[in-house]
Structures are given as C-alpha cells and as structure tokens.
Amino acid sequence: MANKSGKAPMTSWEKNQFKWGWIFILPTMIGLIALNIYPIFATVYQSFFKTGDFGRGNIFVGLENYATMVKDAEVWQSLWNTIKYAIIEVPFSICIALVLAVFLNRKMKGRSVYRAIFFLPMIAAPAAVAMVWRWLYNSQFGLLNNLFGIHVEWISNPKIAWISVAVIGVWSILGYNIVLFIAGLQDIPHDYYEAAEIDGASGVAAFFNITLPLLSPTIFFVLITRVIGAMQMFDLVYMVMDRTNPALPKTQSIVYLFYQYSFNFGNKGYGSAIVMLLLAVILIVTVIQNVGQKKWVFYN
Amino acid sequence: MQSMETKRKVTQIAIHIILIIFSFIMLVPFAWMALTAFKSTTEATQVNPFVIFPSQWLTDSFKKVWNNMSFLLLYKNTLLLIFWRVVCAVLTATMAGYGFSRLEFKGRDMMFNLILFQMMIPSQIFLIPQYVMVSNMKMTNTIFALVFPGIVTAFGTFLLKQAYMGLPKDLEEAARMDGCNIFQTFLLIMAPLARSSMVALAIFTAVFAYKDLMWPLVVNTSATKMPLSAALATMQGQYSSNYPDLMAASLIACVPMIVLYLIFQKQFIEGIATSGGKL
C-alpha cells in the first residue's frame, strides 16, 4: 500500500483495478449526477426565483420565496398535517405489525396464508386503494356508516378526516412492516426462548425481555424508513381528498402542497422552497432519531 | 400438566382469532371493491335496505370501463415502464455494486459517499429538474419519460454492494489463478452469486414502478401514454360518483399484480425483506 499517496507508479494490477472499477461504476455515477446530484443544486437555485405565469421566464427574487413561506399559514398547516399523519401512521403500523409478526413467527397452521393476506395491500395500486377507501368512507352510501348505522363524515369533517386518511396509511403499510419484523425475528436464536421457558418466564415476559431488545435494530430501521415515508405522503391526500373538500386544508400534506405549487399553479420557485423545507424537516427528524437510538437500540 | 396443555391451546386459539380479525380487516376493502363492481349503480347507492351482495352479478361496469379506458394500452405502458426500470436498475447496480465492493481504486470512496448522500435525500427534490430535463428533450408523453428517473439506482447499488461483500474472497482469487480477468471474474463468478439480491432489487423496482403516482402524473398527461396508476387517478375525476365503474376499473388494474404476487409470493416477500428499502 506504499503507493496510496498516488505518487509512486501503479502496478499493472492496480491500473487494471482502476480501469475496471471506473467502467463498472461509470453508468451509475453518470446517471446519479445527472438525475440526482445536479437536480439538488437546480432545486436550490430554482428556490431563489419566481416562475412567471404560463412558464414565462424566471425572475430572481433572492430569499423572497423563503420569506413568503415563513409567513404562509398554509405551509405550516400542511407541515403540521404531515406530522399529525406520521404520529398516527408510524406508531400504530409499527406496534400492530410487531404483535402480528410475533404471532406469525411460530409453527402454526395457515401461517403463510395470513402473511399473504397482510401483505396484499402492498401490491395494490395506491389509486385503487384510495378509491375503495373513499367509497367505504362515503357518508351517504358507504359500507362503514351503513353497517354500523352511523352518520360520520369520515373524510369531509376537518376534525376527523386526517385520522381517516392515516387509518388508510396504517392499513396499507402494515404488511410491509410485518415482513421486515418477521425477517428480524428469525435472526433471534431459539435457545433464548427455550431458556426463558425453562426458567418459567411467560410469553409476555419473553416478548419484553428477549424479543424487544434483540429486535430493536430492526425496529429502529423500520422506524427511520417509516417516518421518512410518512413525511413524504402524497398519494392518499391526492386521491382521497377532492379539491373542493372542506377538510382539505386540514389534511393536505407538505408534498401535496409542493405538487400543487410546482405543477398545477405553475410556481416552481415556491414549490422548490417548500421542498427545501421538507428536506430540512426530514434531516432534523433523522438526526433526532439517530441520537435517540443510543438510549434504546440494543446491538449485539 | 393438563392445565398447561389447555392453557397452550387457549393461547393458540386466541392468537388465531386475532389473526383472523386482522385478515378480515385487510380483506374487506378488496371484497367491497369486487362486490361493488358487480352491482348496478342503483343497487350500489341503495341505503334502505343496504345491499351487501349484488342481487344480480352484473358485468356491465367491467365491459364499460374496459372499452372506455383502453386497458390493454395501459397494461402495455405499465409493463414497459416496469420492464425498462428493472432492466436498467439491475444492470447498472450489479456492475456498480461490484466495483464498489471488490475493487480498490482512486475516487471510489468519494463516489460511494455520493451514493449514500442520494439515499438520504427525499426524492421530491429531484422532481422539478427531472421534469424540466424531460420537457427540454421534448420527451414528455413517452415511455422514456416514465422510465427516466429510474435509469440508475443508488439504493440498488447499495443493496448489491452489500450482497457482494457477503461473498467469500477465495472464489475471486481462485478465478484469477485460473486466468480470469476482472471482467470475467465479475461476469462468470461473482454476478451469478449475487442472484438473490438481483431478484430482490428487481421485485422492489417493479412494485415501486407500479405504485409510483406523482411522476407519471407530472410527465405523461396524455391518456394513451399513462401507466395504470395515473390513469386510475385521472379516471376518478371523470366517473366521479359512478362507484361500480370506479371499482371495476380498480379491480382490473390490481388483478394482474395480485395474480403475479400469489404465484411468486415467496420471491415477493423475500425480495421486500432483503431489500427492506424505502417503499
């Protein structure tokens, strides 16, 4: 490794590795730079401009978009809606999935059938999922209200619409979390449970003293990816909430707002500023989670 | 001992009951989708008495939306989108993953940091510039436009790199002793051994492409160039309150993927478990 400094001449083996190494990574790197790295800078740049109506011209406005955003109640309401959505979707989908995964992680009849059913929403088109839930929630003709003989405006009452949307989110993502938890559970050695059983520990005690600590790295991974996923929620609001729905302002997510400004209102500059806010929030939440994990994630 | 045995049985039954309740909750929306699709509009919106099962199983809605929405074209667009995304992702990630894991060369670590950096960024940040690029190329409303953001994959590269790192080093050395050059070692020895991760990446990419909604909505606004997801979304506006039609279209859009899933269930679930990515 004497020539790591790059000054000594490379041996032919090193030259060979250099050549092939770059050939292997070049397609990915070119694509990555063109499709992802350049766009990051382009979005930051765009956020300093006001896009004219009908796509006419870019006017440099400096930090004006950000200044407007800070005072824009709609942006903060959307951010708050997104956080509220995450506060329901993430803990519920993780806790329910955890319990169901523990139940499924044992020899029993119908195990693969249950697993297949729980996973089903994951491969359904989100547009179809949203449409059928909208139909279930329909206040006049929907299954929910007519089955239970109630008259709840599930998705047009601003007070509860955000919960109704989050319920669809939990329903959609449950199978995904279950699959990841089962994979994690299978790595826990069986001896631990046998030892616990000999000691007379109950199933519940084994869950809290063995399963939870040993599964904590998987739980942490799922938590991080789910929080990031929930912060980027778009499909459900777009499909379930009509533009005229009175509950829309109290349910629209930050990405939905970004989409509206960028592609429907033709203001890509303001859209870019909104998406920078999303980036900042995601980075802050991820840092907090990474610091917090030291308190509860248990690595072997 | 007797009581212990009974206790175990009771637990077993309780677990089954909970699992059945949740299975029911998971299945009700799909069942309701199917039941509504076979009803007439009058029956679907009848409240007194409320009808659960259609009195007559009508196929009118299926026929109507099948003809109006040119589903064959939508299937074709979706299939092409999935096909090209999977081919591009697996090909580029298999190569790059090998370069990053098994070769040492100048610039490697810096480039890999870019990969990790990309994975931390929410994808909406790329969206406007990607759209502007496609639009400047005059390529909106094409299959190319649908595939565009998925030509390379940072996440897939990371996944494949991890897969190669789990393989023993001796294999490569043996291949090299036998006179294989770096490319031959990659193609004949190492890439075949990373097969299961390639399958995982392919499944992950396919499901993601199938479910992606925002990008197709942005880039392909012409009805004949949409994939299923975007076409369903636009359809909702047109048929706003004709629920049997909406449910029939949803069912037609979901069935192929559900059938594929039921056939390749093991690969699907393992694929998601190994890739575990940001779906």
Side-chain angles (χ1 to χ4, degrees):
Chain A
M1 296 291 124
N3 40 20
K4 266 239 159 134
S5 60
K7 275 168 194 153
M10 288 201 274
T11 64
S12 76
W13 170 236
E14 281 166 336
K15 265 188 206 154
N16 223 350
Q17 285 202 68
F18 183 81
K19 183 183 85 181
W20 281 109
W22 273 100
I23 292 176
F24 281 137
I25 69 165
L26 208 56
T28 296
M29 293 323 295
I30 292 175
L32 191 82
I33 288 167
L35 292 169
N36 303 133
I37 305 298
Y38 156 74
I40 296 173
F41 292 104
T43 298
V44 174
Y45 181 78
Q46 180 83 66
S47 71
F48 298 126
F49 286 82
K50 191 184 186 85
T51 324
D53 282 341
F54 311 107
R56 259 184 301 135
N58 266 343
I59 307 149
F60 182 78
V61 291
L63 291 171
E64 199 187 291
N65 284 327
Y66 291 95
T68 315
M69 191 168 74
V70 172
K71 283 178 273 169
D72 188 341
E74 196 186 19
V75 168
W76 294 108
Q77 180 64 46
S78 304
L79 185 62
W80 176 230
N81 295 340
T82 313
I83 292 169
K84 281 200 298 186
Y85 171 84
I87 287 174
I88 299 234
E89 193 233 73
V90 178
F92 276 91
S93 75
I94 287 184
C95 293
I96 298 172
L98 194 56
V99 173
L100 294 179
V102 169
F103 287 166
L104 286 174
N105 187 41
R106 50 165 75 201
K107 279 209 180 83
M108 64 187 296
K109 271 195 199 131
R111 187 180 160 206
S112 57
V113 178
Y114 287 129
R115 201 181 55 172
I117 292 173
F118 294 149
F119 198 70
L120 209 52
M122 285 304 298
I123 45 100
V129 165
M131 271 199 254
V132 73
W133 274 95
R134 210 179 140 154
W135 178 221
L136 290 166
Y137 280 146
N138 187 299
S139 59
Q140 238 183 314
F141 314 115
L143 179 68
L144 273 178
N145 278 351
N146 283 296
L147 205 59
F148 299 111
I150 43 179
H151 294 282
V152 179
E153 294 190 312
W154 298 100
I155 52 169
S156 51
N157 181 344
K159 288 211 176 74
I160 54 169
W162 64 278
I163 301 175
S164 304
V165 171
V167 167
I168 313 178
V170 174
W171 180 86
S172 306
I173 207 69
L174 208 55
Y176 175 70
N177 292 355
I178 291 176
V179 165
L180 292 181
F181 284 144
I182 291 179
L185 285 169
Q186 278 164 355
D187 292 338
I188 300 178
H190 250 278
D191 325 1
Y192 290 7
Y193 293 103
E194 277 157 26
E197 205 171 2
I198 291 166
D199 289 347
S202 69
V204 179
F207 174 78
F208 283 106
N209 296 317
I210 302 171
T211 311
L212 270 190
L214 288 178
L215 197 64
S216 57
T218 310
I219 300 174
F220 178 62
F221 171 78
V222 174
L223 180 70
I224 288 263
T225 45
R226 281 323 314 145
V227 168
I228 294 177
M231 297 302 294
Q232 291 170 271
M233 195 268 280
F234 166 77
D235 301 3
L236 285 178
V237 174
Y238 182 82
M239 289 299 299
V240 174
M241 309 301 286
D242 267 335
R243 307 302 160 265
T244 50
N245 190 326
L248 182 65
K250 295 275 184 196
T251 41
Q252 62 182 351
S253 64
I254 194 84
V255 172
Y256 178 84
L257 204 63
F258 154 76
Y259 173 84
Q260 288 292 30
Y261 273 106
S262 306
F263 300 106
N264 279 348
F265 308 154
N267 195 347
K268 294 195 167 54
Y270 201 53
S272 299
I274 292 175
V275 84
M276 294 313 291
L277 174 69
L278 172 73
L279 173 69
V281 172
I282 286 183
L283 287 183
I284 292 168
V285 173
T286 308
V287 167
I288 292 173
Q289 289 187 90
N290 267 313
V291 173
Q293 63 141 333
K294 292 187 184 107
K295 291 215 162 69
W296 65 275
V297 179
F298 172 83
Y299 292 102
N300 252 340
Chain B
M1 258 3 232
Q2 184 69 38
S3 73
M4 195 119 155
E5 198 53 36
T6 357
K7 201 180 153 197
R8 188 163 291 185
K9 264 218 176 100
V10 170
T11 324
Q12 201 62 263
I13 292 170
I15 287 176
H16 270 289
I17 290 174
I18 296 172
L19 288 171
I20 288 170
I21 291 172
F22 272 96
S23 302
F24 188 73
I25 296 173
M26 299 315 273
L27 286 177
V28 161
F30 290 105
W32 196 237
M33 194 190 277
L35 290 174
T36 306
F38 284 106
K39 283 178 191 161
S40 66
T41 322
T42 347
E43 204 168 34
T45 52
Q46 186 180 317
V47 185
N48 227 344
F50 189 67
V51 190
I52 302 239
F53 293 96
S55 55
Q56 266 185 301
W57 294 74
L58 303 170
T59 51
D60 300 16
S61 292
F62 290 98
K63 286 180 198 145
K64 186 170 149 202
V65 292
W66 180 270
N67 289 330
N68 287 358
M69 286 183 69
S70 45
F71 264 103
L72 283 180
L73 200 62
L74 298 178
Y75 281 145
K76 197 186 101 193
N77 293 343
T78 311
L79 205 66
L80 284 173
L81 160 66
I82 292 177
F83 174 80
W84 286 115
R85 283 246 180 130
V86 168
V87 167
C88 292
V90 171
L91 205 68
T92 56
T94 304
M95 283 171 60
Y98 185 73
F100 282 123
S101 62
R102 289 313 180 98
L103 300 175
E104 278 193 33
F105 55 92
K106 221 179 156 190
R108 182 189 74 169
D109 295 345
M110 207 184 101
M111 290 298 126
F112 194 68
N113 283 337
L114 277 186
I115 301 269
L116 294 177
F117 177 64
Q118 192 273 359
M119 287 169 65
M120 285 166 44
I121 308 286
S123 61
Q124 290 79 14
I125 298 224
F126 316 133
L127 212 76
I128 296 176
Q130 283 174 344
Y131 169 74
V132 172
M133 280 189 259
V134 172
S135 153
N136 285 343
M137 285 186 262
K138 304 251 180 298
M139 291 296 267
T140 51
N141 289 314
T142 59
I143 298 296
F144 170 80
L146 291 179
V147 179
F148 188 65
I151 292 175
V152 297
T153 155
F155 163 70
T157 304
F158 181 78
L159 185 73
L160 265 293
K161 179 193 179 242
Q162 297 298 105
Y164 289 117
M165 293 205 324
L167 298 173
K169 267 225 145 98
D170 338 356
L171 284 166
E172 271 174 311
E173 276 153 24
R176 215 156 280 143
M177 295 289 207
D178 288 345
C180 285
N181 65 26
I182 290 178
F183 185 69
Q184 287 165 328
T185 313
F186 159 73
L187 191 69
L188 303 173
I189 312 291
M190 298 304 276
L193 288 172
R195 226 173 16 232
S196 65
S197 289
M198 286 185 218
V199 173
L201 176 62
I203 287 171
F204 174 82
T205 309
V207 174
F208 187 85
Y210 172 75
K211 296 180 76 168
D212 193 11
L213 181 63
M214 199 197 288
W215 176 253
L217 280 178
V218 166
V219 89
N220 282 10
T221 43
S222 144
T224 55
K225 292 295 175 190
M226 282 180 186
L228 285 163
S229 61
L232 275 184
T234 19
M235 179 211 182
Q236 186 174 245
Q238 293 160 3
Y239 292 66
S240 55
S241 57
N242 192 331
Y243 276 98
D245 287 1
L246 289 174
M247 293 301 109
S250 299
L251 209 58
I252 296 175
C254 287
V255 160
M257 204 59 166
I258 291 178
V259 170
L260 276 181
Y261 162 68
L262 293 177
I263 298 172
F264 298 107
Q265 209 198 109
K266 196 165 158 264
Q267 285 81 355
F268 262 87
I269 288 178
E270 274 172 12
I272 296 297
T274 8
S275 64
K278 32 176 190 181
L279 206 65

